[in-house]
Amino acid sequence: MITQLFINFFKQHKVLTFCYLLTMLYIPLNSIGMPHLYGKLITILNKGSINKAIYILVILVILWGVIQFVKISSSYIHSKIFPLFLAYVRENIVKIIVDRYKTDYEDLQLGDTITKIIKGPYLFEEIFDIGESFIFRNIIIVSSSFLYLFFYNKKLGGIYLLCIVCILLTCSLYIVKCQGNVVKTEEVYADVHEEIEDTLSNLISVYTSQKTDDENKRIRKYNKSLWSEEQQLENCNNKYRLLFSVVCILIFIVLNFYSLYLYKQKKIKLPNLISIIIINYSLLNTLMDVYYYARQLTDINGRLKVFQN
């Protein structure tokens, strides 16, 4: 159902989708092109060649301008495509619910259904964002960085690839281990929402029977259960946050020290070493961002399981 919703939407808005994907070209320019030019600039300045340095600076400014223009274009297209997407998802969720319960209306849980209608479009928006940021964007960054490093030294490119595999394994472990906590939290949250909706729908009965305290105790009991599940989820997140930090620091050390070794062995030149170190530093930030994307993906995946029930 979910995959089909995305496919149908993209088919209906082919031009907007293509233009949006095209704007992602700024990623390799920003992650590889800029560091490469900075490496050249530093080397030229060390040699005292001012005219060449000015030339590189001009290219840097032009490249930066192009990157900003493409980013602005991406934001503009995003502002056009997302309202359409949210309206499309909301309409289809209502249609699916109506079709599902038309022969068995009595089984419809109103509180849970309203929650799905309200949260559904934004859940799908998060799926779109995570697909663009976590998967598509990182694929471009990883691929372009790998090709750059592999071009200058095949072993360095191979080590980089192994490091990425380590990150992917850590992500997979994180998602598998913490996804269950997300599902439990969302299920309890849905129960709490249903109970609150039930209480508010029957306020007159609660007042006339003087059961206000009983209702408060009942809601408090559900809320305590929700708090407990949220604590377990946060504990799982924090544990893998630490693991990600350790893995990323080790990757940063391995890539930089091996690059220095290659330079010492005269297998790469100084401009390339500087570019590689800048790329590795940018990569460290990117890899740490992967944790937050993995956390978001874990959360979305767990909520999707509950949403489809």
Side-chain angles (χ1 to χ4, degrees):
M1 179 192 79
I2 294 167
T3 305
Q4 197 59 46
L5 276 176
F6 277 97
I7 291 172
N8 289 341
F9 177 78
F10 293 146
K11 282 182 178 179
Q12 290 177 22
H13 302 88
K14 292 178 183 178
V15 176
L16 271 177
T17 303
F18 175 76
C19 291
Y20 190 65
L21 293 175
L22 196 62
T23 58
M24 295 297 106
L25 290 175
Y26 79 86
I27 296 171
L29 293 176
N30 195 41
S31 62
I32 302 298
M34 295 292 281
H36 179 74
L37 289 172
Y38 277 124
K40 283 184 172 294
L41 178 63
I42 292 169
T43 305
I44 289 169
L45 288 172
N46 284 333
K47 292 179 179 179
S49 182
I50 302 300
N51 290 334
K52 287 185 178 180
I54 292 172
Y55 174 73
I56 296 295
L57 272 174
V58 170
I59 294 176
L60 274 168
V61 170
I62 292 172
L63 182 60
W64 183 85
V66 170
I67 291 170
Q68 297 310 308
F69 174 77
V70 176
K71 281 185 176 181
I72 292 169
S73 301
S74 180
S75 298
Y76 177 77
I77 296 171
H78 187 281
S79 69
K80 294 292 181 184
I81 201 171
F82 261 83
L84 291 171
F85 180 69
L86 292 177
Y88 172 82
V89 171
R90 192 178 295 110
E91 181 182 329
N92 277 272
I93 289 173
V94 173
K95 183 178 181 299
I96 289 167
I97 291 171
V98 170
D99 291 342
R100 180 183 294 179
Y101 291 100
K102 64 183 177 182
T103 57
D104 198 8
Y105 176 74
E106 291 182 0
D107 286 342
L108 180 64
Q109 294 179 312
L110 188 59
D112 181 57
T113 303
I114 292 173
T115 300
K116 287 181 177 180
I117 292 172
I118 293 171
K119 294 174 64 177
Y122 299 99
L123 176 60
F124 278 79
E125 180 182 4
E126 288 181 48
I127 295 170
F128 191 96
D129 283 339
I130 204 73
E132 183 233 319
S133 301
F134 181 61
I135 300 172
F136 190 72
R137 185 187 302 269
N138 282 319
I139 285 175
I140 294 175
I141 291 174
V142 167
S143 301
S144 55
S145 298
F146 168 72
L147 291 172
Y148 184 85
L149 296 175
F150 188 80
F151 176 78
Y152 286 105
N153 188 272
K154 292 182 179 179
K155 285 186 179 179
L156 182 60
I159 291 172
Y160 172 80
L161 209 55
L162 286 175
C163 292
I164 296 302
V165 170
C166 289
I167 287 292
L168 291 176
L169 290 174
T170 306
C171 282
S172 300
L173 185 64
Y174 175 37
I175 293 169
V176 169
K177 294 294 183 181
C178 294
Q179 184 176 280
N181 296 104
V182 176
V183 172
K184 288 180 182 177
T185 302
E186 285 295 313
E187 287 175 343
V188 175
Y189 175 81
D191 290 340
V192 172
H193 193 279
E194 189 71 32
E195 293 300 322
I196 292 172
E197 192 273 335
D198 181 61
T199 298
L200 295 177
S201 298
N202 297 284
L203 272 180
I204 294 177
S205 176
V206 171
Y207 291 146
T208 55
S209 60
Q210 296 183 341
K211 290 185 177 181
T212 306
D213 290 339
D214 292 338
E215 288 298 313
N216 287 334
K217 287 179 182 177
R218 190 170 65 87
I219 297 300
R220 192 178 299 117
K221 177 184 174 183
Y222 278 99
N223 200 38
K224 187 177 180 181
S225 177
L226 178 59
W227 175 84
S228 177
E229 293 297 340
E230 287 174 338
Q231 283 293 108
Q232 291 182 47
L233 175 59
E234 288 304 315
N235 289 337
C236 189
N237 288 333
N238 289 334
K239 181 171 71 175
Y240 283 93
R241 173 69 174 80
L242 177 61
L243 179 60
F244 262 94
S245 297
V246 172
V247 172
C248 288
I249 290 170
L250 289 175
I251 288 173
F252 185 70
I253 291 171
V254 169
L255 288 175
N256 280 326
F257 272 86
Y258 190 73
S259 299
L260 287 168
Y261 168 78
L262 291 175
Y263 174 69
K264 189 177 179 181
Q265 297 295 315
K266 300 187 183 301
K267 292 184 179 180
I268 58 174
K269 296 178 181 179
L270 182 60
N272 304 132
L273 175 64
I274 295 170
S275 300
I276 289 169
I277 290 173
I278 295 172
I279 289 170
N280 287 342
Y281 178 74
S282 300
L283 179 66
L284 181 65
N285 293 326
T286 300
L287 293 180
M288 286 309 302
D289 286 342
V290 167
Y291 161 76
Y292 296 104
Y293 289 132
R295 178 171 177 167
Q296 190 179 358
L297 183 61
T298 304
D299 181 64
I300 290 171
N301 209 21
R303 282 190 287 153
L304 269 177
K305 286 181 179 293
V306 177
F307 182 81
Q308 293 181 88
N309 290 336

